[in-house]
Amino acid sequence: MRKANVVSKLRSWRWIHRSILIVGTLAILICIATLSKAYYLRFFLVTDASSSCYSNSFTTHASTATEIKATIEIVVQKIQQEIDRMRDLPHESSSSESKHASFLADILGLVESVKASLSRMDGTAKQNGVVIHPLSGTNQETEEPAEYFLTEEIRKYVRIKPNRLKKRNFMGANGTFTSIGHACFSMKKQLEEYMEYDIGDICSDDWKLAQKLMVHGCDPLPRRRCFAKSPQYYTKPLPAIESMWKLPDDRNVRWSQYRCKNFTCLAKNTMQKGFFKCADCFNLDDHEWTRWIKPAYQDTNSNLTADFLIKEILDLKPSEIRIGLDFSVGTGTFAARMKEFNVTIVSAAINLGAPFNEFIALRGLIPLYLTINQRLPFFDNTLDLIHTTRFLDGWIDFVLLDFILYDWDRVLRPGGLLWIDSFFCLKEDLYDYLQIFKMLRYKKHKWIVVPKRDKSDDLEVFFSAVLEKPPRPFR
């Protein structure tokens, strides 16, 4: 009899230990779920996220919240089952088992409390984040990017703006979805500094900060509700004919962020100007005057040149080249020369140590303030010509160049010309770069590789080509 009691007690203790192990495991699951939620909230509201935050954090939060709720549901079910099973045990069970059931009931109460709090948070999110999807027209829950920033102007800008009439507008959307570049989330501090201003007041002279944000992927930047600072003594620009080949008035540029403080300094043959590419671009009388009219560089050994002339390129497609894009580092001279042939060229430029955009505009040409990070703001099959020089060189990543060339192909019309002008790289990289250009399968009008002999090591080459986009008709 005594032996039977001992066996019964051992079984009872074994059952209690098993129950404690189950409770411990469930407690660990609850802790993990709670910590996951806490970490997410801290990550989303306080810290500077990595550049992938914009693209992944909101979908990650949605899945994390769902997982937490599912885990809590499982915990609740298991605890409830354990309590019910313990209550069904014979009344002769030990007092320790009753205490254990009481303990589980307390745990269950805490878990139910967490579950209720999570439901309330989700309810609030739904009230703030439900929008009509612009394509499907259905209600979809979204996490507001605005919640990541503390500066109120950013929050107001990035929030979805529903149409006031509560129906789709003429563009087919029921709201306005203002956007910022994904890297803005990893440059939170700089962006908030940029967006710190008084509405209706004069903006700070912080274009350099704005350009830094753009170059590092915070592009597009949010709009601002302050007035851009103007030059203090702005004078009217020169007449169109005169402005093309004459240095503009120094008073028409804000010089505070540049090493040179006037155009005369920029036109001098010196390397102390704050930039190195296109060092002679502001020298209109000498360096720029002859460009694309006669070759600027010729290999003395082979007598070959990588410089093609505008007239010989236009003669490839007589009367067909009317509009185009110059994606280069320059002061608009290519556009100025093309204008003499009745061709309109938009010059993409950023201010790399000098006022390139202002200078192009003051020459009576069209500057496009654009970084290499952006998709071209032109529709498909619209441009007759894309020209590039001194920009896409041997520094560029192969995959990035691939994306850029496909985007250029998108905007070039069938029969349009891609003019690669003096692309230079190391000899050892030349084959890889040429393969990327060849994958376009364009017709080759011109294609030449010339040694680049401005350095003693003789390790670089120039590559120039004029390629025609094929029709590619629909099938």
Side-chain angles (χ1 to χ4, degrees):
M1 187 70 177
R2 184 173 179 182
K3 186 177 180 180
N5 289 337
V6 170
V7 171
S8 177
K9 285 183 179 180
L10 285 174
R11 287 178 179 170
S12 177
W13 279 108
R14 217 177 283 154
W15 183 86
I16 291 171
H17 290 161
R18 188 167 64 248
S19 300
I20 291 172
L21 180 62
I22 292 171
V23 172
T25 304
L26 296 178
I28 290 171
L29 288 173
I30 294 171
C31 289
I32 291 172
T34 307
L35 285 173
S36 298
K37 183 72 175 180
Y39 174 76
Y40 169 74
L41 289 173
R42 180 175 177 271
F43 170 82
F44 191 68
L45 295 175
V46 179
T47 62
D48 286 342
S50 66
S51 62
S52 65
C53 173
Y54 182 65
S55 59
N56 295 331
S57 67
F58 310 122
T59 55
T60 301
H61 169 55
S63 61
T64 301
T66 303
E67 289 171 5
I68 291 171
K69 291 175 71 176
T71 302
I72 291 177
E73 288 287 351
I74 293 170
V75 170
V76 170
Q77 289 176 11
K78 286 185 176 293
I79 293 178
Q80 190 63 58
Q81 288 172 4
E82 197 67 25
I83 290 174
D84 293 341
R85 196 166 71 84
M86 293 180 70
R87 283 175 179 166
D88 292 339
L89 289 174
H91 293 291
E92 293 82 16
S93 298
S94 64
S95 61
S96 61
E97 293 174 1
S98 299
K99 291 179 180 178
H100 192 52
S102 177
F103 170 73
L104 287 177
D106 291 339
I107 293 293
L108 180 60
L110 292 173
V111 173
E112 290 285 4
S113 176
V114 172
K115 182 182 175 184
S117 298
L118 187 58
S119 297
R120 284 196 298 272
M121 290 173 65
D122 284 348
T124 304
K126 287 177 182 178
Q127 290 177 4
N128 295 334
V130 172
V131 296
I132 306 299
H133 193 273
L135 297 179
S136 65
T138 58
N139 287 355
Q140 303 220 349
E141 296 175 21
T142 64
E143 287 290 343
E144 285 277 6
E147 302 306 319
Y148 180 72
F149 297 100
L150 300 178
T151 302
E152 188 61 25
E153 278 294 271
I154 305 177
R155 294 161 68 93
K156 288 180 178 177
Y157 182 78
V158 300
R159 283 197 181 104
I160 298 170
K161 319 293 189 303
N163 297 334
R164 293 183 65 243
L165 298 179
K166 301 188 184 303
K167 62 180 181 180
R168 293 181 184 231
N169 57 28
F170 69 97
M171 296 180 288
N174 41 44
T176 304
F177 302 82
T178 47
S179 61
I180 57 176
H182 71 279
C184 295
F185 290 84
S186 64
M187 303 181 74
K188 176 182 175 182
K189 183 178 179 182
Q190 293 94 325
L191 182 63
E192 290 184 338
E193 178 185 347
Y194 174 72
M195 293 296 288
E196 197 65 52
Y197 56 83
D198 293 326
I199 298 174
D201 206 345
I202 302 296
C203 303
S204 300
D205 189 8
D206 55 1
W207 70 264
K208 204 166 186 179
L209 172 62
Q211 184 168 281
K212 179 182 178 182
L213 286 162
M214 292 170 61
V215 168
H216 287 85
C218 184
D219 188 14
L221 280 171
R223 296 184 179 99
R224 297 200 292 188
R225 294 191 289 179
C226 57
F227 297 106
K229 197 162 188 167
S230 302
Q232 190 171 3
Y233 303 107
Y234 195 90
T235 61
K236 66 180 182 179
L238 297 170
I241 298 177
E242 188 180 352
S243 67
M244 201 72 71
W245 297 103
K246 186 175 180 180
L247 289 178
D249 195 314
D250 295 329
R251 293 173 294 180
N252 290 350
V253 172
R254 306 195 320 260
W255 295 96
S256 61
Q257 304 289 339
Y258 301 112
R259 189 174 296 176
C260 276
K261 303 301 179 184
N262 52 62
F263 287 115
T264 304
C265 170
L266 291 173
K268 287 180 180 177
N269 187 19
T270 172
M271 297 303 293
Q272 303 300 318
K273 296 183 288 190
F275 62 98
F276 66 94
K277 274 210 171 192
C278 197
D280 296 319
C281 281
F282 291 88
N283 185 352
L284 299 182
D285 294 330
D286 185 14
H287 180 268
E288 295 293 285
W289 179 255
T290 58
R291 295 190 72 190
W292 298 289
I293 300 301
K294 68 178 185 178
Y297 173 84
Q298 196 161 10
D299 178 41
T300 54
N301 294 344
S302 61
N303 223 21
L304 296 174
T305 179
D307 297 329
F308 303 143
L309 307 184
I310 286 177
K311 187 177 186 310
E312 61 181 308
I313 302 305
L314 294 180
D315 285 345
L316 296 173
K317 310 281 285 186
S319 304
E320 287 189 38
I321 307 300
R322 307 151 300 151
I323 56 173
L325 170 70
D326 182 26
F327 205 105
S328 308
V329 177
T331 51
T333 298
F334 181 78
R337 283 299 182 199
M338 293 294 276
K339 192 173 184 178
E340 295 170 0
F341 292 88
N342 295 319
V343 179
T344 301
I345 297 292
V346 175
S347 303
I350 56 175
N351 288 5
L352 294 170
F356 287 96
N357 278 270
E358 297 97 311
F359 192 81
I360 293 169
L362 289 169
R363 292 182 76 178
L365 304 167
I366 306 171
L368 181 63
Y369 192 44
L370 187 73
T371 70
I372 198 172
N373 306 323
Q374 270 190 294
R375 184 177 187 260
L376 290 179
F378 304 108
F379 194 68
D380 305 355
N381 304 298
T382 52
L383 300 185
D384 300 320
L385 173 73
I386 293 181
H387 169 265
T388 181
T389 186
R390 294 179 175 174
F391 194 77
L392 300 182
D393 296 324
W395 63 269
I396 194 167
D397 175 75
F398 293 128
V399 176
L400 175 59
L401 179 59
D402 217 24
F403 275 107
I404 290 170
L405 290 180
Y406 273 105
D407 192 36
W408 289 0
D409 174 81
R410 177 184 62 82
V411 300
L412 267 179
R413 65 165 175 82
L417 298 180
L418 174 59
W419 182 352
I420 309 297
D421 191 351
S422 299
F423 177 98
F424 70 88
C425 63
L426 294 172
K427 287 181 180 178
E428 62 189 51
D429 294 331
L430 178 62
Y431 176 80
D432 293 324
Y433 280 117
L434 293 186
Q435 290 304 114
I436 294 176
F437 288 111
K438 287 179 180 178
M439 65 85 193
L440 292 171
R441 298 183 177 88
Y442 280 16
K443 177 182 177 181
K444 295 179 184 178
H445 286 286
K446 292 181 177 292
W447 184 281
I448 191 169
V449 176
V450 179
K452 186 174 181 285
R453 301 188 186 278
D454 58 342
K455 295 180 181 178
S456 58
D457 53 23
D458 194 27
L459 296 178
E460 295 179 325
V461 292
F462 279 122
F463 163 66
S464 291
V466 178
L467 310 171
E468 180 179 338
K469 178 178 174 178
R472 295 200 200 107
F474 293 108
R475 293 179 182 177

